[in-house]
Amino acid sequence: MVGSSHEALHRIFQKDPALLTRALQRVLHVPFPEPREIAALNVDLTEIEPVERRVDTLLRAETDEGTYLLVVESQGKADDRKRGSWPYYLSYLYEKYRCEPVLIVITQNSATAKWASRPIRLGFPGWDSLTVRPLVLGPDNVPVIADERQAERDVPLAVLSAMTHGRGPQAPAILESLATALRTIDPDSAAVFVQFVDSCLTDPQAKQMWRDLMTAIQYFWRHPLAEQVREEGRIQDRQEMTLRILEWRGIEVPDAVRERVNACTDLDQLEVWAQRAVRAVDAWELFGEA
């Protein structure tokens, strides 16, 4: 489901896993081995204990030098809770799969990129028991692709460029180049990429320009997959809004309530629950239960 900028920023790597290793090699200049095969893995890292821990995207890369787990986290702003979450993710994955995990953070914000790039050191001064060093993709290092031919050579990277830089004076050239490049790939992939970019554009003018460009290429918006992605996005937005209202009001949300809301795909039912969340004094009242 792609209903937000957060989702789109990491889901693009599920759509084109090879884009992630290209970004490591070309953008961050990390000598990551060329993968023979990349596969998506289950992102749920929850143990038997009822504590939910879930990474955004998890890929397994098979290379001549070994097998690596690529842990992709989409980060909107600085969050000090990640000091505990990210080391946990990496340690858990190493224990479970017995291969090396690599943490990649992607963000649209330069300040967040700077925060995320700082090492997380656990231990006492002068002696780190554990050090986590995220690799960060953000507006300061993802290339600006504003040339049609360059966009056509690597459409997924051009999509990532638009998702990261789609604001300010560069936006028109970036979006126009990408719109032209999308004509050169299959409609199924194009429909998904269109939605990724649309979800990430926070500048109202850039978003309207993008939609105008896509209206001119009408088959993208009529494509069944594009409509399916938009519908899934609306469902996820409503799920998140319902739970967020309870959290904003200081109401504890049990795991069972969260799971029931996230499992619901009926927009009308989710709307009812969202309205109840405004007045509920207990999370279970969403469902008409005390």
Side-chain angles (χ1 to χ4, degrees):
M1 293 183 287
V2 187
S4 66
S5 172
H6 173 92
E7 284 292 301
L9 278 172
H10 68 86
R11 282 284 298 274
I12 187 174
F13 297 119
Q14 296 176 20
K15 173 62 181 171
D16 183 1
L19 171 62
L20 186 56
T21 56
R22 293 202 303 277
L24 293 179
Q25 295 165 349
R26 302 178 192 176
V27 177
L28 298 180
H29 305 293
V30 173
F32 191 84
E34 193 66 33
R36 296 191 307 271
E37 178 184 348
I38 301 181
L41 301 178
N42 190 338
V43 298
D44 193 346
L45 309 186
T46 307
E47 285 278 21
I48 296 176
E49 296 297 323
V51 177
E52 182 180 357
R53 295 191 185 273
R54 190 179 300 270
V55 297
D56 288 334
T57 286
L58 179 61
L59 304 171
R60 182 179 60 215
E62 302 285 352
T63 78
D64 290 337
E65 298 178 19
T67 301
Y68 297 90
L69 299 176
L70 305 178
V71 185
V72 185
E73 284 282 280
S74 172
Q75 196 68 29
K77 59 183 180 181
D79 183 354
D80 287 338
R81 291 177 300 178
K82 297 301 183 181
R83 273 184 58 83
S85 297
W86 287 343
Y88 170 87
Y89 294 165
L90 301 182
S91 299
Y92 176 89
L93 289 168
Y94 179 77
E95 176 64 22
K96 180 176 182 178
Y97 292 101
R98 287 295 167 176
C99 50
E100 302 294 338
V102 180
L103 174 62
I104 301 103
V105 179
I106 180 166
T107 180
Q108 295 174 292
N109 184 280
S110 294
T112 303
K114 185 177 180 180
W115 163 82
S117 64
R118 294 200 300 262
I120 299 172
R121 305 183 190 280
L122 304 181
F124 61 84
W127 190 273
D128 300 333
S129 298
L130 176 66
T131 302
V132 175
R133 299 174 59 201
L135 295 167
V136 182
L137 292 168
D140 296 328
N141 55 18
V142 172
V144 173
I145 298 181
D147 175 78
E148 292 179 8
R149 293 181 180 177
Q150 188 180 2
E152 290 175 2
R153 284 196 295 269
D154 194 336
V155 175
L157 187 59
V159 172
L160 184 61
S161 174
M163 291 163 61
T164 310
H165 297 285
R167 64 176 68 185
Q170 300 178 105
I174 294 171
L175 298 179
E176 288 173 358
S177 298
L178 177 58
T180 300
L182 287 173
R183 297 173 184 265
T184 67
I185 65 174
D186 67 279
D188 285 358
S189 295
V192 176
F193 288 149
V194 165
Q195 186 65 24
F196 285 164
V197 174
D198 190 79
S199 297
C200 283
L201 292 175
T202 56
D203 183 325
Q205 290 183 330
K207 185 181 285 283
Q208 187 57 52
M209 178 186 178
W210 179 244
R211 291 182 175 183
D212 290 343
L213 286 167
M214 293 302 98
T215 300
I217 313 174
Q218 294 181 10
Y219 69 92
F220 285 143
W221 292 109
R222 293 201 307 265
H223 193 280
L225 183 57
E227 179 55 39
Q228 176 189 341
V229 170
R230 289 197 294 273
E231 179 69 12
E232 291 175 343
R234 287 191 289 268
I235 290 170
Q236 186 183 22
D237 283 343
R238 197 61 52 84
Q239 293 167 339
E240 291 177 350
M241 180 180 70
T242 301
L243 297 172
R244 196 175 295 120
I245 289 172
L246 293 175
E247 292 167 351
W248 282 342
R249 297 182 58 229
I251 296 174
E252 182 180 356
V253 182
D255 289 343
V257 171
R258 189 179 303 276
E259 291 170 4
R260 186 167 170 181
V261 171
N262 288 333
C264 180
T265 57
D266 185 328
L267 275 171
D268 292 336
Q269 181 63 74
L270 288 168
E271 177 63 30
V272 171
W273 290 349
Q275 293 175 6
R276 289 177 181 172
V278 176
R279 297 180 176 83
V281 296
D282 181 278
W284 290 103
E285 290 185 17
L286 291 183
F287 317 124
E289 302 171 12

